Amino acid sequence: MELFRNTCPRNCYGTCSIISYVENGKLIKVTGDPKHGFTQGRLCPKGYAYTQYVYNSSRLKYPIIQTPRGSGNWQRISWDEAYSIIAEKMIELYSRYGSNLASGYNKFSGNIGLLHYAVEGMFNSIGPHTKPVGDLCSSSGGAALKKTIGDVISPIPEKMAQAKLIVIWGANPAATNVQQMKYIFQAKQNGATVVVIDPIFSETAAKADIYIQNKPGTDALLAYGIAKIMIEKECYEKEYVETNSQGWAEFKHYLINEVNFPDICHVTGVQFEVMKELASLFSTIKPGVTWSGLGVQRNKNGEIGIQAILSLSAMSGHFCEQYSGTYYTHADISHFPLTLLNHPEKEHCFVKKSRSVSHIDFAAQAKALNDPPLKLLWIASRSPLSQDQNIQAWKELFNSLELIVTVDLFMNETTKHSDIVLPAASLFEEEDLHVGYWHHWISINQKAIDPFFEAKSDLQIARELTKKLNELSPGFSDFHYELEPIDWIKAELTPHIKQLYSLDSYEDLVSSPHPRIDDYDKRKSKEFHFIKPINKANLYDDQTNEGAVYPFRLLSPQSLLKIHSQFATLSWLHPEREITVIEINDIVAENLGIHDETMVTVFNDYGSIEAKAVINADLPQEIIVVNQAGEKGINQLIGDTTKDSDEESSINFYDTYVAIKN
Ligand SMILES: Nc1nc2c(c(=O)[nH]1)N[C@H]1C(S)=C(S)[C@@H](COP(=O)(O)OP(=O)(O)OC[C@H]3O[C@@H](n4cnc5c(=O)[nH]c(N)nc54)[C@H](O)[C@@H]3O)O[C@H]1N2
Ligand SMILES: Nc1nc2c(c(=O)[nH]1)N[C@H]1C(S)=C(S)[C@@H](COP(=O)(O)OP(=O)(O)OC[C@H]3O[C@@H](n4cnc5c(=O)[nH]c(N)nc54)[C@H](O)[C@@H]3O)O[C@H]1N2
Ligand code: SF4
Ligand SMILES: [Mo]
């Protein structure tokens, strides 16, 4: 039996260290790694199901081509044939348009290991092309952190166990961050009060001491209401805000003069007495922490919502006391050189740089490109046809493309509409390096087994395709295809990184994951910037759509047994084929004549889907909750929700309204 160190590369708060057990070249078991200080030897159910994931009968084995696209007529081809078709097309597009701008990619979060930036590196190596920018998941909140505390930082999550007040605001860790729950339970055992603020009575709310149900998109107002009470009662950290901040006088003036309680209560759905109780908790219980969840910022008031929560934290002393703090996510990854991502773009004689298309509205923007139009799209670590907004725009974009290549481990809604599908290696079949965005540990991923049939890592594919490009057109790419994965990993371990993670060499990581030195307290002492809301946030808009054609707000958060579109095919986790399930309030169901577990139609201007209705008496009448992905997924009803957003905000997935019929 051989043991290897792996890391779960999913876009998940856990970034869990795994020990894999290999016998006769076969992965027979996985466990958590006890040497990892945050995960402490445990995995979530998805992690424990990795042996089934690796040997799943629906895994892609060979490169395949579909002619014509969408026909279902798939044929196996060799890797060499696949590379030739793709490389010839890229070269032809280059000579047709005079640059590589007609070739582009869309990549997001299927695997967030550092070596998966091979996709970006490969495209940079051919010179200016078309690329996605931004982060559809967390940018609005990230912008709020940058504007208030100056940086995307978050404290050591293990320390949450020492807090006496934990306010979880729009996060659902019992489903999305199960590793964190043990620290929350430890804190509770030590007498902490746990508050959850969420429009849905979530799995986490069920474990809390206090649950506050506010209407979606109203977090800024709720925070302002609490802050105003704290000002009126003079029970905030006066000295801290007066000496360590900017904008306090204007912010205070705004709260005193422009915020009124009746409107706040009406719009948020939270009573004044409840806000008073929260103000008392924030001002009296120390040390306290707030956790701004990603759920807060999936609507048009998202950035201002996180800003307001952070302001309340500042007023409560969460930036000046030991074990206090405000959690979101962090950008520790930005300390790394990210040599693949930052591979310099090969110079072009007249096109200065690549063409950027925002991730939040990629399809609509890419479809509108001309001079030259986008003609080739490479999709990796991404299933836009189930996970993005504006699926109609994706279909139109696909119709205008001449070649769509998707690299994935499984068939899904996106691969089905591609020309060529290339089989990706699983994490156990490749090497990688990982830093998370929640805990502060670094860990490696060793190659534990040979690739499944003909699967290859994204890095290996980048090496081989760039080699083929240069064979057919010398000098087309300047990718360093001679470098091995370990070379790229070692390039990340600069002296600065070694110092930050107390490493002498790569070998240290073979023996154990390593924590980053804890310098949060040093970094958080920067000045806090209070920002009074700007006009663009329509904070007082009635967030309900009562009486409208589409009266129900559709919330589609993440669920425990999947990571977005992933893990749906594992029978250990999903014994039955997943169908779309919507949860509706009992009174609404009765009014509409809908019975528990019956099929209904959910629809709006973008389309309609069939779903099983489940009655949930804890749900507000104006909200419908639905699971993500599936064959005819819910995102088909999510139109262009980003019209008024900045280029670099998150997607407002939860600004979607629907109707239901029996
Ligand atoms: N309705 C609704 N939609 C949402 C959200 C929501 O709350 N509601 N949340 C949004 C959020 S926060 C996110 S982050 C996105 C996530 O959306 P995506 O970034 O699309 O993420 P996944 O669905 O996790 O994975 C995409 C694909 O990557 C593949 N993959 C896994 N590993 C690898 C690999 O090593 N190489 C390659 N080439 N492919 C691999 C998987 O098999 C999967 O098909 O979804 C968003 N969509
Ligand atoms: N099991 C599992 N874990 C995951 C993922 C997964 O798909 N599955 N995905 C990972 C990824 S990419 C992400 S981005 C994270 C997301 O994980 P979280 O940060 O937990 O965010 P969400 O799941 O989007 O939403 C959390 C809660 O916000 C609530 N909410 C929605 N709108 C509002 C609002 O306006 N105000 C308030 N206060 N609450 C609101 C929702 O009801 C939900 O209960 O999870 C990561 N972890
Ligand atoms: S899905 Fe998340 S919690 Fe589960 S093993 Fe992977 S990183 Fe850990
Ligand atoms: Mo996400």
Side-chain angles (χ1 to χ4, degrees):
M1 175 99 68
E2 275 184 289
L3 269 60
F4 296 90
R5 277 220 138 71
N6 291 94
T7 303
C8 180
R10 307 281 82 93
N11 183 358
C12 174
Y13 288 106
T15 318
C16 300
S17 259
I18 301 176
I19 304 286
S20 53
Y21 295 74
V22 175
E23 210 168 60
N24 301 325
K26 205 169 171 213
L27 179 73
I28 56 159
K29 182 174 103 169
V30 293
T31 64
D33 178 354
K35 288 189 180 167
H36 194 285
F38 172 71
T39 62
Q40 297 183 351
R42 280 170 250 184
L43 301 173
C44 81
K46 302 176 290 299
Y48 288 118
Y50 267 130
T51 47
Q52 201 192 32
Y53 173 98
V54 168
Y55 301 112
N56 196 291
S57 58
S58 53
R59 254 194 86 181
L60 289 161
K61 299 185 175 98
Y62 312 105
I64 46 176
I65 189 164
Q66 175 176 229
T67 38
R69 187 192 301 161
S71 65
N73 176 34
W74 289 100
Q75 249 136 30
R76 180 179 166 185
I77 49 172
S78 68
W79 275 100
D80 194 57
E81 282 170 293
Y83 290 140
S84 297
I85 296 167
I86 300 162
E88 278 165 16
K89 187 74 195 177
M90 281 177 154
I91 293 164
E92 188 266 312
L93 287 172
Y94 186 95
S95 52
R96 198 192 309 170
Y97 296 112
S99 80
N100 279 312
L101 290 178
S103 293
Y105 67 91
N106 187 285
K107 178 194 161 224
F108 198 56
S109 71
N111 182 319
I112 57 171
L114 268 54
L115 265 47
H116 285 263
Y117 286 124
V119 177
E120 286 85 343
M122 171 174 89
F123 273 89
N124 284 348
S125 81
I126 60 171
H129 54 277
T130 299
K131 60 164 73 196
V133 289
D135 174 346
L136 57 93
C137 162
S138 66
S139 318
S140 298
L145 262 78
K146 281 184 211 151
K147 287 180 194 162
T148 52
I149 57 173
D151 207 351
V152 184
I153 56 170
S154 196
I156 305 276
E158 293 90 316
K159 288 192 172 178
M160 206 185 269
Q162 264 79 46
K164 292 289 179 217
L165 173 70
I166 301 177
V167 182
I168 304 173
W169 201 317
N172 183 16
T176 61
N177 190 350
V178 289
Q179 299 281 11
Q180 188 59 29
M181 291 308 286
K182 59 181 172 287
Y183 301 105
I184 295 172
F185 289 135
Q186 274 171 30
K188 260 178 87 106
Q189 268 165 4
N190 296 334
T193 302
V194 176
V195 181
V196 168
I197 303 175
D198 196 310
I200 303 175
F201 183 69
S202 63
E203 294 92 330
T204 312
K207 312 271 186 233
D209 299 293
I210 299 173
Y211 167 55
I212 315 291
Q213 189 164 55
N214 67 325
K215 291 186 182 160
T218 67
D219 303 285
L221 278 192
L222 180 56
Y224 294 153
I226 302 166
K228 185 175 168 108
I229 296 171
M230 286 165 72
I231 291 174
E232 285 177 354
K233 289 191 178 294
E234 296 202 25
C235 60
Y236 59 97
E237 290 293 328
K238 229 172 166 177
E239 201 194 311
Y240 172 76
V241 296
E242 279 168 10
T243 53
N244 284 289
S245 73
Q246 277 188 23
W248 169 246
E250 294 86 342
F251 185 71
K252 188 174 165 194
H253 183 268
Y254 169 79
L255 292 182
I256 293 172
N257 297 295
E258 292 179 54
V259 166
N260 75 75
F261 292 118
D263 281 351
I264 292 190
C265 295
H266 171 71
V267 178
T268 61
V270 179
Q271 292 172 9
F272 180 69
E273 288 305 315
V274 173
M275 282 189 264
K276 248 170 78 182
E277 173 69 19
L278 287 169
S280 156
L281 296 175
F282 271 106
S283 54
T284 55
I285 306 185
K286 317 268 165 182
V289 300
T290 39
W291 175 352
S292 308
L294 294 155
V296 172
Q297 46 99 65
R298 302 205 200 287
N299 62 69
K300 64 178 187 302
N301 292 334
E303 180 181 335
I304 198 115
I306 306 267
Q307 276 177 20
I309 296 169
L310 292 165
S311 304
L312 190 55
S313 301
M315 289 171 62
S316 309
H318 292 179
F319 293 105
C320 57
E321 282 153 5
Q322 170 84 330
Y323 295 120
S324 286
T326 176
Y327 290 82
Y328 180 65
T329 60
H330 63 69
D332 282 2
I333 193 172
S334 63
H335 295 285
F336 288 75
L338 304 176
T339 40
L340 279 160
L341 175 69
N342 296 322
H343 179 100
E345 258 176 35
K346 195 175 141 233
E347 279 186 22
H348 185 271
C349 46
F350 59 87
V351 181
K352 288 264 171 312
K353 61 180 174 59
S354 281
R355 193 162 59 172
S356 299
V357 181
S358 170
H359 246 313
I360 65 167
D361 194 19
F362 186 89
Q365 288 185 25
K367 173 170 69 92
L369 293 172
N370 51 43
D371 199 21
L374 186 67
K375 287 293 170 196
L376 178 150
L377 186 64
W378 182 278
I379 301 172
S381 273
R382 177 85 177 118
S383 183
L385 267 61
S386 70
Q387 290 313 118
D388 209 353
Q389 61 150 5
N390 211 351
I391 305 288
Q392 189 51 39
W394 273 101
K395 290 189 176 154
E396 288 163 21
L397 171 66
F398 271 28
N399 284 338
S400 70
L401 296 170
E402 293 176 15
L403 186 65
I404 304 167
V405 181
T406 301
V407 187
D408 209 300
L409 290 87
F410 298 96
M411 283 308 267
N412 58 33
E413 283 312 288
T414 307
T415 54
K416 270 191 221 161
H417 294 91
S418 307
D419 299 299
I420 292 181
V421 178
L422 303 175
S426 79
L427 67 119
F428 303 97
E429 299 151 27
E430 62 181 11
E431 284 166 302
D432 214 333
L433 182 68
H434 295 268
V435 270
Y437 52 78
W438 178 252
H439 65 64
H440 296 264
W441 291 70
I442 184 174
S443 61
I444 53 163
N445 184 67
Q446 293 180 305
K447 183 175 170 188
I449 51 172
D450 284 336
F452 185 70
F453 291 81
E454 290 188 7
K456 291 182 196 284
S457 70
D458 288 275
L459 174 58
Q460 190 59 19
I461 295 171
R463 295 171 77 184
E464 293 175 6
L465 178 60
T466 49
K467 206 163 177 204
K468 173 63 83 178
L469 281 165
N470 283 353
E471 270 164 35
L472 298 180
S473 174
F476 199 86
S477 154
D478 63 8
F479 195 76
H480 298 292
Y481 45 73
E482 70 289 357
L483 295 183
E484 295 295 330
I486 191 71
D487 300 323
W488 292 107
I489 293 176
K490 287 188 173 166
E492 296 301 320
L493 304 178
T494 57
H496 174 55
I497 291 296
K498 285 184 180 154
Q499 186 250 331
L500 214 52
Y501 291 90
S502 319
L503 293 171
D504 286 329
S505 68
Y506 167 80
E507 279 62 39
D508 286 351
L509 290 171
V510 178
S511 0
S512 174
H514 273 234
R516 180 190 161 131
I517 47 167
D518 179 8
D519 56 356
Y520 176 75
D521 285 335
K522 218 164 71 196
R523 292 188 292 154
K524 80 179 176 184
S525 62
K526 286 178 191 159
E527 245 177 13
F528 187 88
H529 287 236
F530 287 97
I531 303 165
K532 84 174 217 196
I534 35 169
N535 298 335
K536 105 175 183 194
N538 303 314
L539 292 179
Y540 286 92
D541 281 0
D542 191 348
Q543 297 289 325
T544 55
N545 239 13
E546 220 180 312
V549 189
Y550 301 120
F552 303 108
R553 190 169 191 149
L554 188 72
L555 298 190
S556 48
Q558 337 309 324
S559 54
L560 176 66
L561 297 178
K562 288 198 298 176
I563 291 281
H564 305 288
S565 67
Q566 304 195 59
F567 295 102
T569 56
L570 301 200
S571 64
W572 290 358
L573 300 171
H574 305 276
E576 285 168 23
R577 210 159 133 247
E578 211 199 5
I579 54 165
T580 306
V581 173
I582 60 147
E583 293 176 43
I584 54 171
N585 166 276
D586 51 342
I587 298 165
V588 171
E590 200 182 324
N591 290 343
L592 295 172
I594 293 170
H595 299 289
D596 200 24
E597 308 240 324
T598 55
M599 294 305 286
V600 292
T601 306
V602 188
F603 63 99
N604 61 15
D605 285 344
Y606 303 101
S608 89
I609 63 160
E610 304 300 305
K612 186 166 84 177
V614 168
I615 292 169
N616 176 351
D618 294 320
L619 210 58
Q621 296 197 20
E622 67 275 11
I623 292 178
I624 285 184
V625 179
V626 66
N627 54 324
Q628 283 171 47
E631 241 170 66
K632 205 164 180 287
I634 196 67
N635 284 33
Q636 297 187 62
L637 304 190
I638 303 183
D640 177 6
T641 64
T642 55
K643 285 190 202 87
D644 310 321
S645 303
D646 298 343
E647 255 221 341
E648 299 238 332
S649 61
S650 315
I651 293 183
N652 302 329
F653 289 105
Y654 305 164
D655 280 338
T656 298
Y657 293 87
V658 295
I660 321 171
K661 62 184 179 210
N662 220 330

